[in-house]
Amino acid sequence: MNNNCHSSNLNPHLKSFEEDTLFHIGFSSTHDDLPEMFGDVKFVCMGGTSSRMKIYSERFADELKMEWIDYTKGERYGIFKAGPVLCISHGIGKPSASIVLHEVIKMVNYAGCQDVVFIRMGTCGGIDCEAGTVVVSDKALDEMLKPEYNLHVLGKVVTRPTQLSHVLAEDILSSQSSNNGFNIIRGNTLCTSDFFEGQARIDGAFCHYTEEDKMEYLKKVRNAGVRNIEMESAVVAGLCNAANIKAAVVCVTLLDRLKTDQVTLTHDQLMKYEMRPMDVILAFVSKKLGKQ
């Protein structure tokens, strides 16, 4: 095994493996030259769909004048590289994101990456902000409004904190132009395990509560400093904290949940809004690489 793991918090059992097969992303710690392939990675950008992350990675390559490589193996997760920027899809929800995070955290360690940051870019529901607003998260809260990522391990609950990097958030915000044409705000993010009932929607197949119950909960969420709702931020924050990796979550709102439950954007509006987190992170990466 290539013992390039530099995080003291990583699984100590890994050192005893002759080979670590990163099954879901299709790499091997011994059969792939991970330092050659990924050793220069400084930014790991993650989002829900493979198609969106491919578009993002192609734009990174074009804007930064970097080589673009498609490292996708199989159909589960898309993996694309544009110079020091690695773009990876994580699917929907904490379980899917957890799987790819475990394997990518190991991969960047086997590759010997230094000072790498992880950034989730995606879409979300807004709380008291109009569609198209970009939210840079301070911390992820669970459905009980606690800043925790909880996982059942060996019949016990393991709790990891979900505070995101203030330094990274400030770096991202300070790199933005004042005339980018859309609002960027900071706030807490509610990370749920369900899209319908877990997010207090009344348009799912099941709903045992009233519109008044919904609004009472959403106002409580707003009072906790939450400005958006999505389904992956807690696992990104929790696992990156465990690995001593700086992480950020940058998402664009598709609706204001205090006004409606359903996304009614046109295709063109949706495509326009989905590019906004990319615009924010591109400005940040460009500044870090001295490309501005």
Side-chain angles (χ1 to χ4, degrees):
M1 172 183 171
N2 183 354
N3 289 315
N4 282 329
C5 296
H6 58 262
S7 172
S8 60
N9 288 348
L10 285 190
N11 177 7
H13 298 292
L14 297 176
K15 295 179 181 179
S16 65
F17 293 3
E18 291 186 6
E19 176 185 6
D20 186 2
T21 300
L22 309 178
F23 175 75
H24 299 90
I25 60 175
F27 298 109
S28 163
S29 64
T30 56
H31 296 297
D32 292 299
D33 191 346
L34 299 180
E36 174 64 25
M37 297 162 69
F38 302 112
D40 63 335
V41 167
K42 295 292 184 182
F43 312 93
V44 175
C45 296
M46 310 182 73
T49 68
S50 181
S51 59
R52 189 190 306 158
M53 298 316 291
K54 182 181 180 184
I55 292 171
Y56 286 176
S57 68
E58 289 172 335
R59 186 167 172 213
F60 273 122
D62 182 59
E63 296 283 346
L64 301 175
K65 302 297 187 290
M66 299 287 187
E67 180 185 15
W68 182 84
I69 304 173
D70 183 349
Y71 279 117
T72 303
K73 296 185 179 182
E75 299 179 354
R76 192 173 299 277
Y77 298 111
I79 304 174
F80 313 96
K81 187 173 182 292
V85 182
L86 193 62
C87 292
I88 303 177
S89 62
H90 57 49
I92 296 179
K94 286 178 279 190
S96 179
S98 172
I99 292 168
V100 73
L101 274 162
H102 270 271
E103 296 191 2
V104 174
I105 287 170
K106 291 194 295 179
M107 186 183 78
V108 297
N109 276 273
Y110 293 138
C113 299
Q114 300 295 319
D115 301 319
V116 65
V117 299
F118 279 48
I119 304 170
R120 162 163 153 68
M121 306 188 298
T123 59
C124 62
I127 295 291
D128 197 20
C129 55
E130 65 181 12
T133 302
V134 172
V135 181
V136 179
S137 303
D138 285 322
K139 57 178 173 285
L141 306 182
D142 66 13
E143 293 91 340
M144 305 304 291
L145 302 181
K146 294 181 179 180
E148 299 175 351
Y149 169 55
N150 292 307
L151 185 68
H152 292 90
V153 180
L154 303 180
K156 300 178 182 178
V157 176
V158 173
T159 299
R160 295 186 172 112
T162 52
Q163 175 68 56
L164 291 149
S165 170
H166 286 301
V167 172
L168 181 55
E170 287 296 333
D171 276 352
I172 291 171
L173 289 168
S174 66
S175 66
Q176 304 307 306
S177 169
S178 60
N179 61 351
N180 55 24
F182 53 86
N183 292 328
I184 305 176
I185 64 174
R186 288 185 69 171
N188 295 333
T189 296
L190 177 64
C191 183
T192 69
S193 299
D194 173 68
F195 183 80
F196 290 100
E197 294 172 286
Q199 294 189 10
R201 279 183 162 85
I202 59 171
D203 61 347
F206 309 99
C207 182
H208 64 279
Y209 45 85
T210 67
E211 173 75 17
E212 290 73 22
D213 294 333
K214 179 191 86 168
M215 293 306 300
E216 181 181 357
Y217 176 70
L218 291 181
K219 288 176 181 178
K220 182 179 179 182
V221 165
R222 178 64 179 92
N223 290 337
V226 170
R227 301 309 304 274
N228 64 333
I229 307 175
E230 48 83 87
M231 299 179 65
E232 295 84 24
S233 58
V235 69
V236 172
L239 294 187
C240 286
N241 280 333
N244 293 322
I245 294 172
K246 291 180 181 178
V249 176
V250 179
C251 292
V252 64
T253 63
L254 302 183
L255 73 169
D256 183 351
R257 286 296 319 288
L258 296 184
K259 297 178 180 179
T260 183
D261 287 346
Q262 295 197 334
V263 177
T264 58
L265 300 174
T266 66
H267 175 77
D268 288 346
Q269 286 175 318
L270 183 59
M271 294 300 100
K272 177 183 177 182
Y273 291 168
E274 284 186 350
M275 291 307 295
R276 290 183 176 178
M278 169 73 206
D279 292 337
V280 170
I281 301 307
L282 178 59
F284 162 70
V285 171
S286 296
K287 182 179 178 180
K288 285 295 184 181
L289 297 179
K291 297 286 185 176
Q292 286 186 338

